[in-house]
Amino acid sequence: MDARQILTGAFPEGAGELVRYAEILGTRGIEWGLMGPREGDKIWQRHIANSLSLVDAIGQGVDVADVGSGAGLPGLPIAIVRPDLRVTLIEPLLRRSTFLTEAVDELGLGDRVTVLRSRAEDCRERFDVVVCRAVAPLEKLLGWTTRLFLPSGALVALKGESAEEEIRSAGKRLTADKLSAEVLELRAAPGVDPTRAIRVTAR
Ligand SMILES: C[S@@+](CC[C@H](N)C(=O)[O-])C[C@H]1O[C@@H](n2cnc3c(N)ncnc32)[C@H](O)[C@@H]1O
């Protein structure tokens, strides 16, 4: 089975919207320059699998922000398969936020997914969970996002192999802000590649 079959089987309620979103990424996402042309073959195996690996790290019914959402990763796949969540996609660039607004509309998610054109550090809202992928090293992310999730929420940043090194590099900041960080080993479903994330919470 390929990643598309595995993931649509693992998340049957969201399967139709996941397929539609993958089509949007593979067509308009590439045409608008949000995805590299060579990424077209890796949409399920890399981008959607990676995003859905966060699903079990998010509690029921909470407010989630995806910081630096780009073309909607990881926020849109998460929103599709978790109808209990309210999700805000935070993205400063006009072309990307326009892409996101159109995608949210086409996927019928407008009642609980919001696009906010902003830099994370300028955002004044608070969330239970902040997620992100491929936006900045942990130390910089903390500077941008702690106000968004403290005192009682969490940052869950997809990081792959660099997780421990980023925690070490951010050590002083974590101590100064009284934060603890742990590495999570995650997988969207058996049969797709595992990945890792850093979860940061107040001590
Ligand atoms: C490499 S892209 C990753 C996009 C997406 N998260 C993904 O994994 O495909 C980084 C994104 O972060 C956004 N970004 C850069 N600085 C930011 C900031 N200060 N606040 C929020 N987003 C930011 C960029 O506009 C860009 O869309």
Side-chain angles (χ1 to χ4, degrees), residues 3 6-7 44-46 49-51 53 186-196:
I6 293 171
L7 293 168
W44 286 93
Q45 174 201 334
R46 178 178 294 174
N50 216 230
S51 300
S53 72
L186 302 167
R187 190 196 295 265
V192 297
D193 290 343
T195 188
R196 305 164 89 219

Side-chain angles (χ1 to χ4, degrees), residues 47 66-71 73-74 90-93 96 118-121 133-135 144:
H47 300 292
D66 175 15
V67 161
S69 190
L73 299 160
I90 301 177
E91 171 55 51
L93 296 185
R96 293 173 188 224
S118 172
R119 300 188 309 166
E121 58 272 42
R133 185 185 83 150
V135 175
W144 290 351

Side-chain angles (χ1 to χ4, degrees), residues 92-107:
L93 296 185
L94 176 60
R95 182 198 288 263
R96 293 173 188 224
S97 59
T98 304
F99 176 93
L100 289 171
T101 302
E102 291 187 10
V104 166
D105 211 30
E106 285 173 40
L107 293 165

Side-chain angles (χ1 to χ4, degrees), residues 70-86:
L73 299 160
L76 277 176
I78 292 171
I80 288 169
V81 306
R82 288 287 304 273
D84 57 301
L85 303 176
R86 290 168 302 281

